């Protein structure tokens, strides 16, 4: 057997000794299972029947209203499969016929326009990978660092590849007037949810997307069209989008006044805090998991920022006393999940592990104390404090 090159990198004892699960001296081919004739070809693939990762579906009275969560601790790499992308609906998933659905661009434009899906697909398109995170993700952590595991505490965030038309092209096509300072985006679901977005974002990286991970958007993510505003809080990424109205001031929608604002300690509120600050979480080992034993473990996690690329992730395995720089998986994309990893040998003693992200703007993910100091204790949204997991002597991991 070839020597494992990581042994040198790890500078620990050989992996076999650390994990107790590597090569057996007397391993032979006879111990392998026989090869088999497989099942026939198929037109649309399915995952292996042995795989069980699922979205966490809450028990709710009205199944149209609520959220399911991405099991981030059960996903490898950076891309969230579309079938596991979290969902947040205010009035269920509408059944929209792409042959009938249209997008209206109106308001402060010279030539109001209606685009069919076919029209949109003829226009120059772009493909980019971005996360979507609900501003309510990790909201429980404000009150108490109660999130027992990654899915409950962090599962309102996912990261997929999106394809669509830059909104700028549509605004230019319609002849944006100079009085246009904001646009209102509205979806075709009955909740009549809408959001106000600064026009600079519309002329910048906002997109009207029709595809996700190489296929059409999933109905749960806004089929057939969704507004994507990279790095902005999830709510602003209006699904099933059917109109964009250019206006001279924000509309003061429900979701930007009573919801998704942060009431500060001095009684004022943070409003239109659309850009999500840098955040990270160790997904393995994480709450609810159990380490198989002492020795080698790769600490793995995810980091993301609404301000651009992740520049650095530091990991502490001693409760925050000392920090080590984790390896970041390339390519690091702006406003996208970045996978970080750190080889680690657990000595079997209780420890606390933490991660801290730094983005390319220089922003450093705050501790829970620093964040509460700045924002007070009233908020339910935009929590991005450092997350700490405790590993007990028996290997079980819990939230602290
Ligand atoms: N039309 C419409 N757009 C919507 C919503 C909705 O209920 N209706 N929910 C918003 C919220 S609160 C979030 S967090 C994101 C969730 O996107 P996802 O369901 O694709 O994960 O969509 C946003 N866009
Ligand atoms: Mo949300």
């Amino acid at each position: 057997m070839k020597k494992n090159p990581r042994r040198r990198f790890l500078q620990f004892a050989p992996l076999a000794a650390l994990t107790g699960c590597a090569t057996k001296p007397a391993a032979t081919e006879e111990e392998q299972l026989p090869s088999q004739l497989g099942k026939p070809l198929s037109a649309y693939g399915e995952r292996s029947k042995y795989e069980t990762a699922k979205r966490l579906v809450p028990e709710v009275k009205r199944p149209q209203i609520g959220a399911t969560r991405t099991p981030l601790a059960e996903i490898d790499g950076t891309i969230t499969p579309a079938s596991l992308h979290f969902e947040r609906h205010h009035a269920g998933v509408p059944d929209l016929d792409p042959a009938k659905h249209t997008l209206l661009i109106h308001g402060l434009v010279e030539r109001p326009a209606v685009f069919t899906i076919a029209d949109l697909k003829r226009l120059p398109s772009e493909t980019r990978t971005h996360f979507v995170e609900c501003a309510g993700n990790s909201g429980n952590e404000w009150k108490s660092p109660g999130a027992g595991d990654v899915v409950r505490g962090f599962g309102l965030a996912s990261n997929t590849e999106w394809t669509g038309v830059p909104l700028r092209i549509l605004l230019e096509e319609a002849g944006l007037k100079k009085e246009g300072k904001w646009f209102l985006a509205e979806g075709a679901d009955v909740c009549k949810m809408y959001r106000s977005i600064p026009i600079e974002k519309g002329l910048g990286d906002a997109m009207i997307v029709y595809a996700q991970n190489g296929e059409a958007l999933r109905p749960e993510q806004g089929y057939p069209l969704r507004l994507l505003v990279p790095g902005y809080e999830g709510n602003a990424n209006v699904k099933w989008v059917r109109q964009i109205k250019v206006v001279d001031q924000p509309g003061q929608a429900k979701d930007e006044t009573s919801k998704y604002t942060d009431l500060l300690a001095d009684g004022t509120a943070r409003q239109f805090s659309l850009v999500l600050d840098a955040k990270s979480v160790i997904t393995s080992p994480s709450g609810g998991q159990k380490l198989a034993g002492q020795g080698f473990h790769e600490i793995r996690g995810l980091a993301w920022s609404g301000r651009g690329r992740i520049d650095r992730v530091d990991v502490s395995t001693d409760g925050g006393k000392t920090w080590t720089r984790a390896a970041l998986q390339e390519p690091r994309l702006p406003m996208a999940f970045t996978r970080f990893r750190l080889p680690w040998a657990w000595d079997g003693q209780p420890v606390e592990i933490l991660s801290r992200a730094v983005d390319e703007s220089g922003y450093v993910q705050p501790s829970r104390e620093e964040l509460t100091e700045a924002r007070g204790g009233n908020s339910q949204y935009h929590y991005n404090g450092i997350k700490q997991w405790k590993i007990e002597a028996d290997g079980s991991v819990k939230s602290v």
Side-chain angles (χ1 to χ4, degrees), residues 16 77 98 113 133 139 161 182 184 196 204 242 269 304 327 363 382 385 397-398:
E133 180 183 20
E161 185 201 78
W182 294 74
L184 313 179
S196 314
R242 66 170 183 184
W304 61 98
Y363 177 94
H382 307 107
V397 190
K398 63 178 202 208

Side-chain angles (χ1 to χ4, degrees), residues 85-91 132-135 187-189 191 193 220-221 226 234-240 260:
H85 195 288
F86 84 97
E87 314 164 83
R88 173 74 181 98
H89 317 310
H90 293 76
V132 173
E133 180 183 20
C134 179
D189 45 344
C191 72
M193 198 205 93
E220 301 94 307
Q221 265 71 59
R226 153 178 235 165
N235 188 266
N237 294 267
V238 174
K239 302 189 280 189
W240 315 294
Y260 300 109

Side-chain angles (χ1 to χ4, degrees), residues 95-381:
D95 173 6
L96 301 178
D97 180 347
K100 294 185 188 139
H101 186 80
T102 56
L103 177 68
L104 168 66
I105 311 270
H106 66 145
L108 295 170
V109 293
E110 303 292 348
R111 299 171 294 279
V114 170
F115 296 89
T116 64
I117 310 295
D119 294 336
L120 288 169
K121 286 189 173 174
R122 281 187 62 179
L123 294 172
S125 293
E126 282 183 17
T127 295
R128 288 195 251 119
T129 298
H130 291 300
F131 71 83
V132 173
E133 180 183 20
C134 179
N137 198 24
S138 322
N140 286 343
E141 299 264 325
W142 283 114
K143 298 277 172 286
S144 61
D149 55 29
V150 172
V151 65
R152 283 173 188 81
F154 296 84
L156 295 178
S158 303
N159 187 67
T160 56
E161 185 201 78
W162 309 94
T163 297
V165 180
L167 180 57
R168 171 180 41 82
I169 292 179
L170 308 183
L171 292 171
E172 281 166 3
E173 190 64 24
L176 177 66
K177 290 186 178 168
K178 68 172 187 323
E179 308 88 87
K181 298 288 180 237
W182 294 74
F183 68 87
L184 313 179
E186 186 195 89
D189 45 344
V190 289
C191 72
K192 286 271 179 114
M193 198 205 93
Y194 78 92
R195 284 302 298 262
S196 314
I197 313 283
I199 201 73
E200 295 76 34
K201 190 72 172 173
L203 296 171
D205 60 1
M207 294 167 92
I208 299 294
V209 299
Y210 50 78
Q212 181 187 17
N213 290 352
E215 61 183 351
L217 276 175
R218 290 287 166 106
E220 301 94 307
Q221 265 71 59
Y223 182 87
L225 292 179
R226 153 178 235 165
L227 171 68
L228 192 81
V229 276
Y232 275 23
E233 64 186 14
N235 188 266
N237 294 267
V238 174
K239 302 189 280 189
W240 315 294
V241 65
R242 66 170 183 184
Q243 60 163 293
I244 301 284
K245 184 176 184 185
V246 180
V247 291
D248 60 359
Q249 54 184 301
Q252 308 294 351
K254 160 180 70 70
D255 285 316
E256 55 204 29
T257 49
S258 81
K259 301 269 190 303
Y260 300 109
T261 54
D262 304 305
L263 180 60
L264 302 177
D266 67 2
T268 63
R270 272 172 99 228
Q271 196 188 7
F272 298 114
S273 50
L274 290 160
V275 179
L276 293 171
D277 291 326
K279 186 164 174 177
S280 69
V281 63
I282 294 172
T283 53
S284 170
S286 64
Q289 297 179 346
K290 189 160 185 187
L291 295 188
Q294 23 184 120
F296 178 77
H297 293 276
E298 185 172 70
I299 294 180
R300 299 177 181 148
L302 291 167
W304 61 98
S305 167
R307 293 173 204 273
R309 289 184 176 76
I310 290 296
D311 246 14
R312 210 175 84 209
V313 177
D314 301 319
V315 169
S316 173
T317 54
D318 58 9
K321 284 192 219 80
T322 60
W323 298 85
T324 309
R325 210 165 165 148
L328 301 183
Q329 178 66 58
E330 299 287 347
R332 287 172 293 124
L333 302 171
M335 295 157 284
F337 279 2
T338 295
R339 174 65 64 179
F340 66 86
R341 300 183 175 100
L342 183 75
W344 177 57
W346 182 45
D347 61 7
Q349 296 302 306
V351 280
E352 286 175 13
I353 59 172
L354 302 73
S355 65
R356 177 178 67 196
V358 181
D359 70 19
E360 64 179 334
S361 77
Y363 177 94
V364 181
Q365 184 183 3
S367 67
R368 187 159 188 280
E369 295 67 36
E370 288 165 335
L371 187 64
T372 318
E373 178 75 21
R375 302 258 180 85
N378 299 322
S379 196
Q380 305 169 48
Y381 303 110

